Amino acid sequence: MAASSRRTMRAMQYDKYGGGADGLKHVEVPVPSPKKGEVLIKMQAASINQVDWKFQKGIARPFMPGKFPFTPVCELAGEVVEVGNGVSGFKPGDKVIAINFPNGGGLAEYAVAQASRTVLLPPEESAAEGACLPIAAVTALLALRAAGVSLDGDGGGTKNVLVTAASGGVGHFAVQLARLAGHRVTATCGARNVGFVRGLGADEALDYGTPEGAALRSPSGRRYDAVVHCATGFPWSVFQPVLADGGVVVDITPSSASVLTALRQKVTFSKKRLVPLLASPKKEDMELLVGMVRQGKLKVVIDSRYPLSRAQEGWAKSMGGHATGKVVVEMGEDE
């Protein structure tokens, strides 16, 4: 059914900070209209990320969410049904993926996104896989770049790369991207996922439940030139002894403590550095990753899929911290 013939849509919203999965409520709300520079997407899939439920927990209060009630989830995939003024390059019927950060809107039957943060998805690619790319895969790409890891063979040599929480949404992309570029990859994960991360291309896998894993010590004794830090709970003192001179740790979910550490290192000209990832996704990066998936170079791993009517279960799964790959909510015609 075309958006223009519908005035309302089903969505999931929360109306205050906190509450977890139980805080998400089924609502009927107006279908949004695309403003200048925006596209309206009939949603087919949305992927849940840490940042979505961290906003709900209040990590960015009082700035995010901007207002309540709030429709969460920023990684979108679906079909364009309407374009706003000034939009070129998209037309109704186009299959697309988009990032709508930090405004969300993904847990709904329709969502708007900036055309400048929307890219075409090849018809043969699934919306569920496409929805996993705009934040998770792009974050992995940006983190590797921020750590000084060359991804296109333009020099810099082969590096020793560590990826923490390597079986998660961002981590499983970081392992693949680093390995595709020819770097040596050590990955940390839970015991049950050691085989999984090796299958992604990691040549060393560390179970974080062991003393070696907790200390991030490479089985071969290598020192890390670059770390994509997707886990939480590791203080700088754990990284320092395992880094090479000039080693860089990129924290994808920086805390205030990690920001202070980074500032202190900058002032003291430390050779080993912690870098909070504060980069913004670009359209070109999304297009690059879509191309890699299309060529079969990059694999999207989906842990679990839920219909919109059971989005709370997906939210709880993501919050639990043990998803292997990505958690996806799908909007079917027959729900």
Side-chain angles (χ1 to χ4, degrees), residues 12-263:
M12 300 291 293
Q13 295 183 332
Y14 57 86
D15 57 13
K16 61 180 184 296
Y17 291 115
D22 291 339
L24 289 177
K25 306 298 181 191
H26 293 273
V27 294
E28 191 88 11
V29 294
V31 173
S33 296
K35 300 185 179 73
K36 184 178 180 181
E38 292 182 339
V39 294
L40 177 64
I41 300 169
K42 185 179 193 303
M43 291 293 295
Q44 294 171 343
S47 182
I48 300 170
N49 290 284
Q50 279 189 40
V51 69
D52 296 314
W53 44 264
K54 284 187 173 182
F55 276 168
Q56 185 196 33
K57 280 187 167 185
I59 192 173
R61 70 193 303 172
F63 307 106
M64 281 304 303
K67 62 178 181 177
F68 292 117
F70 182 69
T71 305
V73 180
C74 306
E75 278 187 309
L76 321 175
E79 185 179 295
V80 174
V81 289
E82 194 179 331
V83 299
N85 290 334
V87 173
S88 59
F90 297 104
K91 63 185 186 305
D94 283 343
K95 193 170 180 179
V96 296
I97 60 171
I99 176 173
N100 194 31
F101 181 84
N103 298 320
L107 292 189
E109 292 179 291
Y110 294 89
V112 290
Q114 290 286 333
S116 60
R117 290 183 155 201
T118 302
V119 302
L120 293 169
L121 187 68
E124 66 272 17
E125 300 299 333
S126 79
E129 289 194 355
C132 300
L133 299 176
I135 289 182
V138 170
T139 297
L141 183 73
L142 296 178
L144 287 162
R145 283 183 188 156
V149 177
S150 168
L151 297 174
D152 50 15
D154 63 354
T158 302
K159 298 203 173 190
N160 295 327
V161 179
L162 171 68
V163 180
T164 64
S167 59
V170 175
H172 89 283
F173 287 124
V175 170
Q176 293 179 78
L177 290 168
R179 198 69 193 93
L180 280 166
H183 300 287
R184 293 180 291 266
V185 181
T186 303
T188 72
C189 59
R192 68 188 176 92
N193 283 321
V194 166
F196 169 71
V197 298
R198 285 189 183 279
L200 294 174
D203 45 319
E204 293 184 341
L206 284 171
D207 170 7
Y208 59 67
T210 65
E212 293 76 17
L216 305 178
R217 283 197 297 269
S218 159
S220 63
R222 66 178 62 156
R223 293 274 192 264
Y224 308 117
D225 302 299
V227 180
V228 177
H229 184 35
C230 306
T232 55
F234 285 89
W236 174 248
S237 58
V238 176
F239 290 109
Q240 200 159 10
V242 296
L243 287 177
D245 279 346
V248 178
V249 179
V250 177
D251 190 347
I252 70 161
T253 55
S255 63
S256 53
S258 65
V259 172
L260 286 171
T261 298
L263 289 171

